[in-house]
Amino acid sequence: GESSSSSSGGSSSGESSSSSSRSSSSGESSSSSSSSSSSGTSTGSFNSILYYSAFDTDGFGTSASNQLNSNNWKDLLQNNNDGSLNNFSLPTDTLSGWIGCYPPALRFDGIDDNVSLQNINGLSSSSAFAYEVWLNIKSLPFNEATIIGSGNDTLTIRNDSQIYFSVNGTTTNAPITTGEWHHIFATTANNQLNLYIDGSSLGSTNLTNNGFESTSEFVIGRDFKGDISIVRVFTGDGDFPDILDQYFT
């Protein structure tokens, strides 16, 4: 009964995305380096401040395949940014909760499931930031679903098959397909809103204020129907972060 929608734009096959993301999930728990952009330049660095992985849900190597009852998603960087699971079916069922397919993931039912935390330690209004998510959108929302974010600093999916990255009143967007695994990286680095889908830059616009301004609750997956396997939040300026190289080299 799940609907799907296809559109132009970057997508990746489950096989290639899965194999490359395995190396990311089992690799470094933080990223801090400067790396080459598609234009061949290099400025600044990204520093990981939050890392959720369904390959290791609790910091002890328990993947979603074996994690049925946990009400928290452990921040593997141990920055006191653990997320609370709200309204999921635990132990899991086929529509909601931890699932052990490949890749392992947290499944959101699109109704009331979400992961929340009051704020993220390390985010500030004086520093650029970035969101990284590896997800599979099962169906489009009725209107708009929050993939990750808080207040005016959000990454969302709308019913027009577009991903929207909005920061302090400025927005960029790009098309995405449902029913496939996608890697999304959205950053405010260097006073630019940049939206990468499966390694390709598909949305970019100038930004006046690139800091994280919101003070409201931080959420993942509100009104979102699909699976999320990896979530990271970064601070700092950079061009083409090494995290993308981990996925697409």
Side-chain angles (χ1 to χ4, degrees):
E2 295 176 346
S3 63
S4 63
S5 171
S6 63
S7 63
S8 61
S11 67
S12 59
S13 67
E15 182 177 353
S16 62
S17 185
S18 296
S19 61
S20 56
S21 293
R22 179 193 291 270
S23 64
S24 173
S25 64
S26 60
E28 298 176 351
S29 60
S30 65
S31 173
S32 177
S33 66
S34 59
S35 51
S36 297
S37 71
S38 56
S39 61
T41 61
S42 175
T43 61
S45 64
F46 289 103
N47 304 299
S48 183
I49 59 171
L50 178 150
Y51 181 20
Y52 296 156
S53 172
F55 292 84
D56 184 357
T57 62
D58 57 5
F60 296 98
T62 305
S63 77
S65 304
N66 301 309
Q67 182 63 273
L68 301 179
N69 295 301
S70 176
N71 285 309
N72 294 293
W73 205 348
K74 182 71 174 179
D75 174 19
L76 297 180
L77 301 183
Q78 300 182 14
N79 284 337
N80 294 317
N81 286 323
D82 295 354
S84 297
L85 273 63
N86 303 308
N87 305 313
F88 289 89
S89 297
L90 300 172
T92 190
D93 61 28
T94 58
L95 298 178
S96 173
W98 299 110
I99 59 170
C101 60
Y102 191 85
L106 183 60
R107 177 160 290 173
F108 296 75
D109 64 7
I111 302 172
D112 57 2
D113 292 349
N114 67 84
V115 178
S116 66
L117 57 163
Q118 284 304 113
N119 52 62
I120 295 183
N121 294 320
L123 281 177
S124 74
S125 59
S126 61
S127 176
F129 67 94
Y131 299 142
E132 178 195 11
V133 185
W134 188 39
L135 54 68
N136 188 334
I137 304 162
K138 295 298 185 180
S139 64
L140 296 173
F142 177 75
N143 184 20
E144 183 176 38
T146 300
I147 297 170
I148 183 172
S150 172
N152 294 322
D153 303 318
T154 58
L155 184 69
T156 64
I157 173 75
R158 296 183 188 174
N159 58 9
D160 58 358
S161 298
Q162 297 271 329
I163 294 289
Y164 288 81
F165 183 36
S166 302
V167 175
N168 300 322
T170 303
T171 300
T172 189
N173 60 286
I176 198 166
T177 55
T178 61
E180 298 178 290
W181 282 97
H182 294 282
H183 176 264
I184 301 175
F185 194 92
T187 174
T188 69
N190 305 307
N191 294 312
Q192 289 273 329
L193 273 185
N194 279 305
L195 181 58
Y196 297 88
I197 299 180
D198 299 329
S200 298
S201 178
L202 297 180
S204 180
T205 189
N206 292 329
L207 186 64
T208 302
N209 182 0
N210 66 356
F212 185 88
E213 297 285 348
S214 177
T215 58
S216 59
E217 181 182 54
F218 197 92
V219 297
I220 298 167
R222 178 174 290 162
D223 299 320
F224 172 78
K225 186 171 184 178
D227 302 338
I228 295 179
S229 184
I230 291 174
V231 175
R232 283 187 178 182
V233 178
F234 300 81
T235 59
D237 283 305
D239 283 333
F240 196 71
D242 65 338
I243 188 65
L244 294 182
D245 293 335
Q246 292 179 25
Y247 278 79
F248 299 104
T249 56

